[in-house]
Amino acid sequence: MTGLSVRGWATGVGALLVLVGTGTWVMWPPGVDGRLWGEVRPVIEARLAADSRGSGYGETVPGIRARWFCRAEALELAEHEGRVRAGVNTLCMEYGARDQVLLECGGGRYPQVVRLERGPDDGYRVVSREEPPDGAGNAEWTEAHFGFFAEHATEAPMSAATLETAARAHFHLPADAPVSGC
């Protein structure tokens, strides 16, 4: 009787390990290539900031020097023959400065699919960006453009702390300058 229960226990544990191992393999998407992300991230963030220019409230307020600051987090990243498809979460914030205060004038966070190509200088350039439509259809767009786990990761919050730090440095404000509305 003891041999049978040990054999059954061993079979059960073995089956559980197979299920857990298989489940882990199926559940987690492949890792993001850190080297590739290091190459494309600055290009993506520069494009986001450039495309945001002219769309902020702070740019219209007299006496405020406003600028956009953007960051991206990789959710999916694939490279094939010099072309990259990056599924990213993005956060862009418009900041200005007045009287040693950092002014938060606007911003937005949403997922995007960015496509890049390697250029003749061996660097990357953005060739297209897709983002969800305004209003209804956002969830459908995200589902259609991201894998299951990346789709759920698009809902994760993104901190603006690094953008605030960059904005303070850009406007030559102290590191502890307060943040206020525009």
Side-chain angles (χ1 to χ4, degrees), residues 25-62:
W25 177 77
V26 171
M27 279 182 56
W28 300 111
V32 170
D33 178 346
R35 177 204 56 79
L36 178 60
W37 180 238
E39 288 184 57
V40 300
R41 180 180 187 169
V43 176
I44 291 170
E45 291 175 343
R47 177 66 178 268
L48 292 169
D51 287 354
S52 296
R53 284 190 195 110
S55 64
Y57 171 73
E59 295 167 308
T60 64
V61 177

Side-chain angles (χ1 to χ4, degrees), residues 122-149:
D122 221 23
Y124 284 95
R125 66 182 180 87
V126 174
V127 293
S128 71
R129 286 191 317 116
E130 297 176 61
E131 57 190 53
D134 291 334
N138 198 338
E140 292 82 12
W141 183 91
T142 303
E143 184 178 337
H145 288 79
F146 289 89
F148 178 76
F149 291 99

Side-chain angles (χ1 to χ4, degrees), residues 2-150:
T2 304
L4 187 57
S5 63
V6 170
R7 191 175 312 141
W9 180 80
T11 302
V13 168
L16 179 63
L17 289 174
V18 168
L19 288 173
V20 168
T22 304
T24 301
W25 177 77
V26 171
M27 279 182 56
W28 300 111
V32 170
D33 178 346
R35 177 204 56 79
L36 178 60
W37 180 238
E39 288 184 57
V40 300
R41 180 180 187 169
V43 176
I44 291 170
E45 291 175 343
R47 177 66 178 268
L48 292 169
D51 287 354
S52 296
R53 284 190 195 110
S55 64
Y57 171 73
E59 295 167 308
T60 64
V61 177
I64 295 180
R65 301 168 299 145
R67 180 172 181 245
W68 285 92
F69 296 83
C70 298
R71 63 180 277 240
E73 292 179 354
L75 302 175
E76 300 174 327
L77 191 62
E79 180 181 33
H80 182 69
E81 296 180 0
R83 295 176 186 225
V84 175
R85 181 193 183 277
V88 297
N89 246 353
T90 64
L91 175 65
C92 289
M93 300 296 295
E94 181 192 28
Y95 292 108
R98 185 178 348 165
D99 300 327
Q100 297 299 303
V101 174
L102 183 64
L103 303 173
E104 183 180 298
C105 300
R109 183 191 72 79
Y110 45 89
Q112 295 191 31
V113 174
V114 182
R115 288 186 172 72
L116 304 99
E117 286 183 349
R118 190 174 288 279
D121 63 351
D122 221 23
Y124 284 95
R125 66 182 180 87
V126 174
V127 293
S128 71
R129 286 191 317 116
E130 297 176 61
E131 57 190 53
D134 291 334
N138 198 338
E140 292 82 12
W141 183 91
T142 303
E143 184 178 337
H145 288 79
F146 289 89
F148 178 76
F149 291 99

